[in-house]
Amino acid sequence: MITGSLVALVTPMKTDGSVDWDALNKIVDLHLEKGTDSIVAVGTTGESATLDPTEHCQVIRAVVERVAGRIPVIAGTGANSTAEAIHLTAEAKQAGADACLLVVPYYNKPTQEGMYQHFRTIAEAVDVPQILYNVPGRTACDMDNHTVLRLAEIDNIVGIKDATGDVVRGKALIAAAPEDFAVYSGDDPTAYQLMLAGGAGNISVTANVAPAEMAQLCAIARNGESEAAELMNNRLMPLHEKLFMESNPIPVKWLMADMQLIDYGIRLPLTVLAEQYHDEVRAALKASGV
């Protein structure tokens, strides 16, 4: 089971929108140095929606090659087309990804049975560990715990990223799921609470700018140190909050560029963070002690 701090890695881009491969290597190296437990490549934060299929697979392969087996790599391969998700998942497996992250189909709003059949079909088509991803704020479609538990019975569906921020619901899922089924938080502000309740880790946006701190927080929370985890989370809360002042990954990419980790590139329809938010985001970084 992959555990701890799993960064939802940005895809660095130059100001013309092209992928910045040199910067990608540098930020992968940063996470290896700072103790990140796993890298999630080309998820929502990695702008999967605007990378074409070739670029999508190239970024996954580049991350896998740079990591070179030192930590697990999880590839974002979800789509609202089952056939496309199968294609991306197969390509990620061939590239050497350790697991794949598959989002609930967006826009077309399938039923619970439709979600079950979608994920079951992908799991049967590609023999690689697969992690479900429920983020109703993005997809306009919410996969309920009953459907997750049905899918958990499939051998290579090994976990879920729950980005609802509903800790009570997450705790209920942890209690009901098989012991080897991993429940990850996808909500930075509440992730420590889910880990204290038995969650496997946190797929984190904040870890892009605070990798060492998020790795430490996840380790403390998974060790059951509730008071220390709450204190550290409170320290990081300004970042958790301000990194969502505009749609993710707008604020985190801007802050990383301000920190000179990447360039300011981002793809339309997303735009560079509005100027009126710059000082607030900088202040959040300072307040967090990063």
Side-chain angles (χ1 to χ4, degrees), residues 114-184:
M115 289 182 238
Y116 173 79
Q117 296 293 344
H118 170 82
F119 289 115
R120 189 189 76 171
T121 300
I122 300 165
E124 290 175 348
V126 188
D127 184 19
V128 67
Q130 297 177 23
I131 300 167
L132 312 171
Y133 176 16
N134 189 35
V135 56
R138 289 255 183 189
T139 62
C141 205
D142 189 1
M143 182 164 54
D144 64 33
N145 279 2
H146 175 70
T147 302
V148 176
L149 292 171
R150 288 180 69 196
L151 288 164
E153 296 174 1
I154 298 170
D155 286 346
N156 60 324
I157 295 181
V158 299
I160 184 170
K161 174 185 177 182
D162 179 355
T164 65
D166 186 338
V167 177
V168 172
R169 174 174 162 173
K171 288 179 178 179
L173 182 58
I174 291 168
E179 189 174 341
D180 60 352
F181 185 82
V183 178
Y184 302 98

Side-chain angles (χ1 to χ4, degrees), residues 37-73:
D37 295 296
S38 175
I39 292 176
V40 179
V42 203
T44 303
T45 309
E47 292 176 85
S48 56
T50 54
L51 293 180
D52 68 40
T54 299
E55 291 173 318
H56 193 125
C57 298
Q58 286 173 335
V59 172
I60 292 168
R61 188 173 295 276
V63 172
V64 169
E65 290 178 355
R66 191 70 176 187
V67 168
R70 286 172 283 182
I71 58 175
V73 175

Side-chain angles (χ1 to χ4, degrees), residues 1-278:
M1 184 184 292
I2 300 169
T3 61
S5 178
L6 295 70
V7 63
L9 195 71
V10 302
T11 299
M13 295 173 184
K14 300 177 182 177
T15 52
D16 63 3
S18 61
V19 176
D20 188 337
W21 301 103
D22 289 339
L24 181 62
N25 285 336
K26 288 176 183 176
I27 61 172
V28 168
D29 290 347
L30 176 69
H31 285 285
L32 293 169
E33 176 189 340
K34 296 295 185 180
T36 295
D37 295 296
S38 175
I39 292 176
V40 179
V42 203
T44 303
T45 309
E47 292 176 85
S48 56
T50 54
L51 293 180
D52 68 40
T54 299
E55 291 173 318
H56 193 125
C57 298
Q58 286 173 335
V59 172
I60 292 168
R61 188 173 295 276
V63 172
V64 169
E65 290 178 355
R66 191 70 176 187
V67 168
R70 286 172 283 182
I71 58 175
V73 175
I74 301 170
T77 58
N80 63 347
S81 158
T82 306
E84 181 181 353
I86 289 171
H87 167 72
L88 291 173
T89 304
E91 289 289 322
K93 178 186 177 182
Q94 185 178 39
D98 296 280
C100 292
L101 180 70
L102 293 123
V103 70
V104 166
Y106 44 86
Y107 187 77
N108 42 21
K109 297 179 76 172
T111 63
Q112 295 298 314
E113 182 62 23
M115 289 182 238
Y116 173 79
Q117 296 293 344
H118 170 82
F119 289 115
R120 189 189 76 171
T121 300
I122 300 165
E124 290 175 348
V126 188
D127 184 19
V128 67
Q130 297 177 23
I131 300 167
L132 312 171
Y133 176 16
N134 189 35
V135 56
R138 289 255 183 189
T139 62
C141 205
D142 189 1
M143 182 164 54
D144 64 33
N145 279 2
H146 175 70
T147 302
V148 176
L149 292 171
R150 288 180 69 196
L151 288 164
E153 296 174 1
I154 298 170
D155 286 346
N156 60 324
I157 295 181
V158 299
I160 184 170
K161 174 185 177 182
D162 179 355
T164 65
D166 186 338
V167 177
V168 172
R169 174 174 162 173
K171 288 179 178 179
L173 182 58
I174 291 168
E179 189 174 341
D180 60 352
F181 185 82
V183 178
Y184 302 98
S185 175
D187 180 65
D188 278 312
T190 62
Y192 83 100
Q193 298 176 52
L194 197 65
M195 287 183 283
L196 286 169
N202 178 27
I203 299 178
S204 172
V205 175
T206 301
N208 281 283
V209 293
E213 292 78 5
M214 287 305 300
Q216 183 182 357
L217 173 59
C218 291
I220 291 169
R222 282 187 42 77
N223 196 42
E225 300 175 42
S226 57
E227 290 185 12
E230 184 175 5
L231 284 171
M232 188 159 192
N233 193 69
N234 288 343
R235 178 183 131 201
L236 292 169
M237 189 61 77
L239 267 181
H240 296 335
E241 293 176 344
K242 298 303 182 183
L243 290 181
F244 287 85
M245 294 190 74
E246 290 188 335
S247 297
N248 180 48
I250 290 172
V252 72
K253 289 196 84 174
W254 179 85
L255 184 54
M256 291 178 73
D258 196 58
M259 296 166 72
Q260 300 184 344
L261 296 173
I262 62 173
D263 205 342
Y264 286 94
I266 195 166
R267 286 193 182 175
L268 289 170
L270 300 183
T271 52
V272 174
L273 183 70
E275 187 173 355
Q276 66 261 35
Y277 299 130
H278 290 187

